[in-house]
Amino acid sequence: MKILIIDNDESLRFMLTEFCKHAEWESDTAVNGREGIEKFLKGAFDVVLVDYHMPEMDGLQTVRELRKHNQQIPILVLTVDERQEVADRFLEEGATDFALKPVKAPDLISRIRLHAQIANMKSVQDEEEDVFTVKGISKGTLQTVASFLKEHKSPISVDGISKEVGLAYPTVYRYLMHLLEEGKVKQVVSHQKIGRPKKLYKWYTH
């Protein structure tokens, strides 16, 4: 994991760098918001730490600018100001969390770990949703078809599933093809006494 530290206080930058070393993370530092934005755009970071009171570009402006370029990355604000109105303003600009100064290593490290994990989970979820969107697959409808097949022990036809779950035949067929491709469903050929063999479907674990 790589952390970007934006703070004009040299001693605090050093301390935060040491925190990162202790947690076995990489880190880079910037002395003000402008430099921080430049480094952010050039590098790949997982979490950003931003000081509130800085010359040239304060913490609020920095958070606002960071959010223009990235909506997901956790931004933790470091401040001595405990006023609710300050917290509200930062949240409006897109800050993720706060750490009050003087900063304590265990508290900051646990906050960074938590927000990095949440951001990573959301990123994975967004990627999955993008895949579903590209394939024209709705997660809710997929769950409906999958749940029915899991509970229905014997193989069943597309028409049978369509009637049971209340979805149109073409819709059920498309979702079955997706589940087949994913290896979740298997196709069973039923040989009729009269007419052509019939294709039935069942959940793979049955």
Side-chain angles (χ1 to χ4, degrees):
M1 188 153 67
K2 191 170 183 180
I3 315 298
L4 176 60
I5 300 162
I6 308 175
D7 199 307
N8 65 306
D9 186 327
E10 184 178 359
S11 61
L12 192 58
R13 286 199 308 275
F14 175 78
M15 183 179 72
L16 293 172
T17 302
E18 290 300 303
F19 285 2
C20 290
K21 284 181 183 175
H22 176 72
E24 298 182 343
W25 300 329
E26 291 182 59
S27 64
D28 198 357
T29 61
V31 299
N32 57 52
R34 293 193 191 284
E35 184 183 348
I37 297 298
E38 288 174 11
K39 289 198 172 186
F40 180 77
L41 294 175
K42 291 176 184 175
F45 298 95
D46 299 288
V47 176
V48 182
L49 304 181
V50 180
D51 183 37
Y52 179 12
H53 299 288
M54 293 186 291
E56 292 189 49
M57 183 186 276
D58 69 10
L60 273 170
Q61 293 172 295
T62 304
V63 171
R64 186 184 307 133
E65 195 63 29
L66 285 167
R67 280 291 176 239
K68 288 180 184 177
H69 302 286
N70 189 308
Q71 290 294 313
Q72 304 298 337
I73 192 165
I75 303 174
L76 276 65
V77 177
L78 310 177
T79 179
V80 294
D81 201 325
E82 298 184 50
R83 289 177 299 163
Q84 185 61 46
E85 57 264 34
V86 172
D88 290 343
R89 286 176 68 196
F90 269 106
L91 290 171
E92 286 170 10
E93 296 298 344
T96 310
D97 199 359
F98 300 86
L100 289 173
K101 295 179 179 179
V103 182
K104 294 181 175 63
D107 175 59
L108 186 63
I109 289 170
S110 64
R111 285 171 190 263
I112 289 173
R113 282 189 177 133
L114 172 65
H115 290 297
Q117 186 178 17
I118 291 171
N120 185 54
M121 288 168 64
K122 190 172 190 315
S123 176
V124 169
Q125 183 182 2
D126 288 346
E127 285 176 13
E128 287 179 351
E129 286 177 355
D130 287 343
V131 170
F132 283 126
T133 302
V134 169
K135 292 187 175 183
I137 297 293
S138 157
K139 291 178 90 169
T141 305
L142 186 68
Q143 186 63 41
T144 298
V145 175
S147 296
F148 173 78
L149 287 168
K150 285 178 186 176
E151 293 170 9
H152 199 275
K153 304 298 182 184
S154 57
I156 185 170
S157 66
V158 177
D159 190 51
I161 298 170
S162 174
K163 288 174 181 174
E164 290 291 336
V165 300
L167 293 169
Y169 185 101
T171 302
V172 172
Y173 182 79
R174 187 168 77 251
Y175 282 82
L176 280 173
M177 293 306 101
H178 176 75
L179 289 166
L180 270 170
E181 187 182 322
E182 294 287 308
K184 303 288 180 62
V185 164
K186 63 181 175 181
Q187 190 180 82
V188 179
V189 178
S190 173
H191 295 279
Q192 311 292 311
K193 290 182 179 179
I194 303 173
R196 292 182 300 172
K198 195 169 187 180
K199 292 177 181 176
L200 305 176
Y201 300 88
K202 65 180 293 189
W203 196 254
Y204 200 81
T205 53
H206 291 158

